[in-house]
Amino acid sequence: MNPSKHSARLLSAGTLGIALALGCLSAPASAVERSPKPGAPGVQLDHLDRGLVAAKTLEGVFLSWRLLGPEATGSSATGLTGTDFNVYRDGQKLATVTDSTNYQDTAGTAASEYQVRAVVGGVELDRSASATSWGGNFKDIPLKKPADGVTPTGQAYTYAANDASIGDVDGDGQYEFIVKWDPNNSKDVSQVGYTGNTYVDTYKADGTLLHRIDLGVNIRSGAHYTQLLVNDFDGDGRAEMMMKTAPGTKSTNFNADGSVASEGFISLLPSDIQAGYSNSDDYRMSAADYYQHMVKTFQRWTEHPEVKAGNWPATLEEAFGIAPKYQYPLSQTDAEAMTDYFMDVYAPSRSARNMLRAFEGFIVSGPEYLTVFEGASGKELKTVAYEPGRHDDGLMWGDYAMARIEPGNRVDRFLAGVAYLDGKKPAAVFARGYYTRSTLAAYTWDGSNLSPVWNVDSGWTPMTNPFNDGPHGRNGTDPEFGTLTTQGFHSLSASDVDGDGKQEVVYGSATIDDDGSLLYSSFDTMPAGSATPGEEARLGHGDAMHVTDIDPARPGKEIFSVHEGGAYAPYGYAMRDAGTGESLFGAYSGKDTGRGMIGDVDPAVPGIENWAIGMQSANGEKLSPSKAPGTNMSIRWAADMTTQLVNGSADQTPTIDDWKRGRLLTATDTRTNNGTKGNPSLVADVVGDWREELLVRTADSSALRMFLSTEVTNHKLYTLMHDPQYRAEVARQNTAYNQPAYTDFYLASDMDFANVPLRAAWLPGSVKALQHVLEDLAESGDVAGPVGSQLTASIQQAAKAVEDGDAAKAGQALQRFVTFLGQQKGPDKVSDTARVALTYNAENILRSFEG
C-alpha cells in the first residue's frame, strides 16, 4: 500500500539481505533440493508484494504484512510455519517475528519508517517497500464523484460510491480499487422509474483515477443489473474487468494530472451496426412507449410460438377471463382497446400495486453485450453478445403471470462470479434469471479470445396462461437442468464441493459441476402445517447463502442458506452437505426468511455458528431460540480468529461488533450501501496480515475509507487472497445481495492449522520480478561473467513463455536457469548469497509448475 516505490527493485547490496521481488514465490528449504519437472502450473493466484502497512495507535505503531501462500511450509499449534520476518525501523532491526505477520512498535512515531525482511534459515532473502504510519486505523482513497444529472422526466439525481472490488491492474503487486457509482435514483429491478447512468472507476491507492467506464443510458442502475468481475483472467499478471454493457457504454482513460488521455464507446457487433443500432441510441421506455409496446404485443398475439403451439390461450379474452369480443389478428384500434382494458381493469384487479400506466425507465429492447476491459486503462478488449439475450420484456419469464405484474423483472435478474473450473485458472460465470428460466454461461479469457466453456439453461418454465399462472417452483423444459428453476439466489459461490480440485458453481439451492453438468438440485419433503405436506419440493430461492467448511467434525463442506418460499418451501433455513445437497438440519418457517449468516461468534462452541431464526451450532444444536447477531455482513477482524459483524444501514454509522465483547469499531463519518441490508463497499484481505479490511464510503463519497484491525495476533496465516475460493468469492462479493467471502478451509478460533492447504501456486509476474532481482545482482557485482548472460537469457525466455501462455516452455527455461546457477567456471562469478537467493526463488517458481 505504500505508493512511494515498487519493492521489486530494492537492493540490499553487501549484506545477506539480497533484494528479491516480494512477488516471487517462497517455499521451504527442501524445495530448493527438488528438481520438479516442468508441466502445468499450479492454481493461478495474484502476484502480490509484502503489503506492509503501519497504523498509529495509542500503544505506538502497529505493523501488519502478508505471508504469501507458497511461503507457508507447515503448521504449529497457533499458525502456519515457513518464512519468518525481521522488522526494521529507520534502518535498525527491532525484532524477528516468527509466530505472526504483525508487530506492535511501542516506541514508534508518526515519522518512523518501517521495512520487513523475509528470513529463511537465518538468511534475509528480501525486503519490503518502506511504510510510514497512517494517522490512525484507516486510510482514505480519494474519489472523484461523477456530475449530477436529470432524468428525461426532469428529476434531478446525484451520486454516491457503492460496491467496490480489488485487482492488481498494472502488475506491481499492489491492489487497485474498482468503485461502482450508483445514482440516488437507482432501482430494484421490480421498481418503476428512470435511473441515472452507472459508472465504474479504477483508482490507485493514492486516489489517482486511472479510468472511468460510463455504462450509458441503456444499462439500468441498481443492485441486480451490474455485476462487475475483476480478476487476472489471462494470467499476464494484470487484472481485467468484465461486465454487462450496451450501446452507449463509454470508457475514458485519464492522465496522471487528471486530464483525459483518451475516450471511446465500445464496439457494436457488426450485425447490430448493419441493423441500424448505434452508440447514440436510447432504449429507455417512457410510459407512452410501454403503452405502444403492449399494443404491438397484442397485435402479434396469434403469431406467438406458445399460442401457435396451443400452450397459451388462443385469444387475449380467454387469457383475461372475459367474453370473446375481437377478431384476430387484432387491428390497431382493437389492440389499443385491449391494452386499455389490460392496464386499467385487468392488471389492477390482480393487485392494487399494478399501475402499468406509470411503467417507465426500463430497457426491454436493444443489444446486450458482455465486454472485457483492460484493468489499467479501461480499454475495450473484447465485446460479445450477452448470453442468453432477454428474448422479450419478461412475458416468457413469468413477469406477467403472477398477481403482481412486473415487466422487466425476472428477465433482468443477473448474477456473476469467478470460478476455477479447471482447478488452475479463473473463469468468468454470468447468469440470467433464477425464479423461472435459469441460465448460466462460463467463459475463459486468454488475452484475445473470450471462449465459452459451457452453457447451462433450464429451458422455459411452461405456463398455461402467461397472464395468470404460478410459474415458480415448476420445472423448465430442459431434461437435465429443468429443476434449476426457482433454485437460484441473489448471489452465487465458487467452491470445490466434491473434492476433485476443481470448483463448482453453487447456484443457490442447486450446484453446477465444474464441467457444466448438474451436480444436484436440492429437494426435501414438505412438513406438516405447510401448504403441501408430504410432497417433495425444492428448497427454492433465498436471499443469503454461505459455503465453506462450517462443521469440521464432519467431512467436506456445508452450505447454510435461508429461503423465502414460505408455506411452499420445506425450510426457512437449512444446512446442507455441499457435495450432495442433502439437508442436514433446518427449520420450517412458513414465511419469507429473508436474512441469515454464519460465523464463529462464540469460541466456546465448536464449529461455526449459524443463525436465521435464532442461532444454532454447526451441528444444529439450538443455542438461542430468538437472539442472534446481525446479518448484513461478517468480517474477520479479531486477533483470536472469531467472526465479527458489520452493522449499520442507510444513514446509520457503520460499526463492527463482537457477539461477546461488544463494539470494536465505530466507522465515524462513513456509510454502507444498498438500503436496509447495509453492505460495506467491500470486506476483504486487501493489505497486511490475514485479517479482513472494512472498506466503506465516506458520508459525502469523497473517499473510500479502508479500516485496518490493529489488534495484535499471535496467529500466522497466509493472505486469504492466496486461497482460491476466497479470491473467487471476493470477486463476486459485489453481486446483487453482497455476501461474505469464505475460504476453502475451516477458518475459526478452534481451527487445526495442520488442515490448512499448502499449495503450489502460480503467481503471474513472479518471473518478471526474478528478472529484476538478477539485474540488481549483476549491477552489484554479485553475478558477473558469461554466466550472467546465460542466466539473463533463460529468464527472458521464461518471461516470454509466460506472456505467451506456454507453461511447459517457461518451466524448461527456468530449469536451465537453475542448472546455470549450479555451474562455476573460469571468469564466472555468482556470490554465495546470490546463488542461495536465486536458486531458492527459481526453485519456488518451478514448484508451481508441478500442479
Side-chain angles (χ1 to χ4, degrees):
M1 284 297 301
N2 189 300
S4 60
K5 60 170 73 175
H6 192 298
S7 60
R9 301 313 301 268
L10 291 175
L11 185 64
S12 182
T15 73
L16 291 178
I18 300 298
L20 294 185
L22 294 177
C24 285
L25 300 179
S26 299
S30 59
V32 181
E33 300 164 5
R34 291 153 57 184
S35 296
K37 291 181 172 59
V43 60
Q44 177 192 306
L45 296 166
D46 294 339
H47 159 70
L48 297 172
D49 69 10
R50 193 58 70 195
L52 174 66
V53 287
K56 191 74 178 71
T57 70
L58 295 176
E59 294 77 30
V61 176
F62 173 79
L63 305 176
S64 185
W65 61 92
R66 295 185 181 110
L67 175 72
L68 304 177
E71 290 179 322
T73 65
S75 64
S76 69
T78 60
L80 299 181
T81 58
T83 304
D84 298 325
F85 298 94
N86 287 339
V87 179
Y88 288 80
R89 184 214 307 136
D90 300 326
Q92 299 298 312
K93 182 179 174 181
L94 295 180
T96 298
V97 179
T98 62
D99 64 349
S100 72
T101 53
N102 60 189
Y103 180 77
Q104 183 75 48
D105 179 17
T106 57
T109 69
S112 300
E113 186 173 284
Y114 296 92
Q115 284 184 345
V116 293
R117 303 182 186 181
V119 180
V120 176
V123 177
E124 289 186 351
L125 292 177
D126 68 38
R127 68 182 184 184
S128 72
S130 298
T132 53
S133 175
W134 298 353
N137 65 343
F138 67 84
K139 174 185 175 63
D140 279 353
I141 296 99
L143 303 177
K144 294 179 173 61
K145 184 186 292 190
D148 299 346
V150 179
T151 68
T153 52
Q155 297 165 324
Y157 58 87
T158 187
Y159 282 90
N162 195 259
D163 293 333
S165 192
I166 51 174
D168 180 8
V169 304
D170 54 11
D172 66 355
Q174 300 178 0
Y175 282 125
E176 279 70 50
F177 300 85
I178 294 82
V179 178
K180 179 166 76 81
W181 292 94
D182 270 17
N184 63 351
N185 61 359
S186 66
K187 306 291 184 185
D188 181 87
V189 70
S190 65
Q191 295 174 340
V192 171
Y194 288 97
T195 74
N197 294 11
T198 297
Y199 296 92
V200 178
D201 287 357
T202 298
Y203 295 90
K204 298 286 287 183
D206 63 0
T208 299
L209 176 59
L210 299 179
H211 58 85
R212 168 169 289 170
I213 295 170
D214 174 2
L215 288 172
V217 298
N218 296 313
I219 296 289
R220 211 161 181 252
S221 292
H224 293 92
Y225 296 103
T226 297
Q227 326 301 342
L228 61 101
L229 297 184
V230 183
N231 213 296
D232 178 10
F233 291 100
D234 61 3
D236 68 351
R238 298 167 295 175
E240 295 81 36
M241 299 192 303
M242 293 191 202
M243 66 192 81
K244 185 175 183 284
T245 59
T249 296
K250 181 175 71 173
S251 179
T252 303
N253 177 250
F254 297 95
N255 294 311
D257 63 1
S259 61
V260 174
S262 62
E263 62 181 351
F265 292 105
I266 61 168
S267 305
L268 307 189
L269 298 185
S271 58
D272 290 333
I273 296 173
Q274 197 170 29
Y277 294 106
S278 76
N279 276 307
S280 61
D281 293 346
D282 186 342
Y283 311 122
R284 294 174 296 179
M285 273 192 169
S286 66
D289 292 334
Y290 179 65
Y291 179 85
Q292 291 302 321
H293 166 76
M294 291 309 300
V295 169
K296 292 177 182 177
T297 298
F298 289 167
Q299 280 187 293
R300 294 192 292 259
W301 183 252
T302 54
E303 301 170 18
H304 197 287
E306 292 293 293
V307 176
K308 294 173 74 172
N311 298 327
W312 289 358
T315 69
L316 290 164
E317 295 96 315
E318 182 183 351
F320 298 150
I322 59 177
K325 186 174 183 180
Y326 301 108
Q327 296 292 319
Y328 286 80
L330 295 177
S331 66
Q332 177 76 17
T333 300
D334 290 348
E336 290 175 353
M338 185 57 80
T339 301
D340 291 337
Y341 175 81
F342 171 66
M343 289 188 170
D344 299 333
V345 180
Y346 180 75
S349 74
R350 298 275 284 152
S351 169
R353 297 178 62 173
N354 292 336
M355 295 178 287
L356 298 184
R357 292 283 185 183
F359 184 85
E360 65 181 7
F362 284 79
I363 298 107
V364 299
S365 63
E368 300 177 284
Y369 299 138
L370 176 62
T371 299
V372 184
F373 295 95
E374 186 175 73
S377 67
K379 174 186 175 183
E380 175 198 15
L381 298 176
K382 189 75 173 183
T383 295
V384 300
Y386 192 92
E387 296 292 343
R390 63 173 67 86
H391 183 79
D392 61 23
D393 67 346
L395 185 66
M396 286 284 288
W397 298 81
D399 282 340
Y400 290 80
M402 313 291 283
R404 283 169 52 186
I405 296 172
E406 298 172 323
N409 182 0
R410 289 157 187 82
V411 59
D412 268 7
R413 297 278 179 164
F414 298 102
L415 302 173
V418 168
Y420 290 84
L421 299 174
D422 63 357
K424 302 296 181 185
K425 295 189 69 172
V429 179
F430 288 88
R432 183 176 211 145
Y434 38 75
Y435 291 122
T436 57
R437 183 185 178 191
S438 302
T439 68
L440 301 91
Y443 302 87
T444 56
W445 170 251
D446 65 2
S448 301
N449 300 301
L450 193 60
S451 303
V453 180
W454 44 251
N455 189 292
V456 167
D457 193 336
S458 69
W460 295 110
T461 301
M463 291 182 286
T464 57
N465 182 351
F467 295 102
N468 192 350
D469 205 346
H472 291 188
R474 186 177 296 170
N475 286 358
T477 55
D478 187 87
E480 179 179 3
F481 300 109
T483 59
L484 280 183
T485 55
T486 324
Q487 297 281 50
F489 280 37
H490 296 286
S491 188
L492 47 76
S493 284
S495 179
D496 178 11
V497 301
D498 57 9
D500 65 356
K502 303 175 182 179
Q503 289 183 342
E504 283 69 46
V505 177
V506 182
Y507 179 74
S509 295
T511 293
I512 307 301
D513 209 346
D514 57 83
D515 63 359
S517 62
L518 180 65
L519 188 62
Y520 59 78
S521 187
S522 293
F523 284 63
D524 215 324
T525 306
M526 294 291 290
S530 67
T532 58
E535 291 187 9
E536 291 297 300
R538 290 165 169 78
L539 268 62
H541 170 76
D543 287 358
M545 178 183 73
H546 312 277
V547 185
T548 188
D549 187 357
I550 298 172
D551 185 357
R554 64 181 306 277
K557 299 175 184 174
E558 293 78 35
I559 300 170
F560 180 74
S561 51
V562 298
H563 303 272
E564 68 175 42
Y568 292 89
Y571 297 104
Y573 71 85
M575 184 75 75
R576 286 177 288 151
D577 182 296
T580 66
E582 176 189 1
S583 300
L584 303 174
F585 63 83
Y588 171 76
S589 66
K591 62 181 181 180
D592 177 349
T593 306
R595 305 289 185 86
M597 183 63 72
I598 68 170
D600 180 19
V601 295
D602 188 346
V605 178
I608 295 175
E609 293 78 69
N610 56 89
W611 55 94
I613 305 171
M615 184 164 64
Q616 299 75 229
S617 69
N619 63 9
E621 178 187 352
K622 182 64 74 172
L623 302 175
S624 169
S626 58
K627 191 177 180 183
T631 55
N632 285 358
M633 179 62 72
S634 65
I635 185 168
R636 297 167 186 88
W637 185 260
D640 63 359
M641 308 195 97
T642 54
T643 307
Q644 287 65 48
L645 282 305
V646 180
N647 292 313
S649 60
D651 286 331
Q652 298 174 327
T653 298
T655 61
I656 295 178
D657 299 300
D658 186 280
W659 183 238
K660 294 295 182 181
R661 294 189 289 159
R663 186 141 299 165
L664 302 184
L665 175 77
T666 300
T668 306
D669 295 328
T670 70
R671 296 292 182 268
T672 56
N673 307 322
N674 305 329
T676 60
K677 287 184 170 55
N679 302 127
S681 294
L682 184 69
V683 171
D685 181 8
V686 182
V687 293
D689 61 27
W690 52 268
R691 263 92 57 90
E692 294 177 304
E693 281 66 57
L694 172 70
L695 283 81
V696 283
R697 60 185 173 95
T698 56
D700 62 359
S701 286
S702 63
L704 187 65
R705 182 164 293 173
M706 179 167 62
F707 287 90
L708 174 79
S709 174
T710 58
E711 190 175 43
V712 177
T713 179
N714 69 335
H715 293 297
K716 188 173 182 177
L717 185 64
Y718 52 69
T719 172
L720 301 187
M721 297 299 278
H722 277 174
D723 177 78
Q725 177 172 328
Y726 186 86
R727 182 64 187 95
E729 297 225 294
V730 166
R732 73 90 178 93
Q733 188 179 130
N734 64 80
T735 292
Y737 293 179
N738 307 38
Q739 300 295 305
Y742 296 99
T743 56
D744 193 49
F745 53 88
Y746 178 71
L747 176 54
S749 61
D750 59 345
M751 67 187 291
D752 182 348
F753 288 90
N755 294 328
V756 176
L758 304 179
R759 294 186 178 88
W762 170 238
L763 311 184
S766 56
V767 170
K768 183 181 291 186
L770 182 57
Q771 183 177 0
H772 290 164
V773 172
L774 177 61
E775 292 169 2
D776 289 339
L777 289 167
E779 184 178 331
S780 69
D782 284 276
V783 175
V787 71
S789 299
Q790 293 172 324
L791 292 171
T792 299
S794 295
I795 282 291
Q796 289 175 341
Q797 291 164 6
K800 179 64 165 62
V802 169
E803 188 176 327
D804 294 340
D806 191 335
K809 191 172 181 179
Q812 291 163 1
L814 283 168
Q815 190 64 64
R816 286 195 297 274
F817 181 89
V818 173
T819 301
F820 289 142
L821 277 173
Q823 299 173 354
Q824 186 81 41
K825 301 176 181 178
D828 288 341
K829 178 187 174 183
V830 179
S831 70
D832 290 341
T833 52
R835 191 184 310 282
V836 170
L838 290 172
T839 302
Y840 181 86
N841 281 267
E843 288 279 11
N844 292 336
I845 298 173
L846 267 175
R847 191 165 68 99
S848 75
F849 287 89
E850 292 182 297

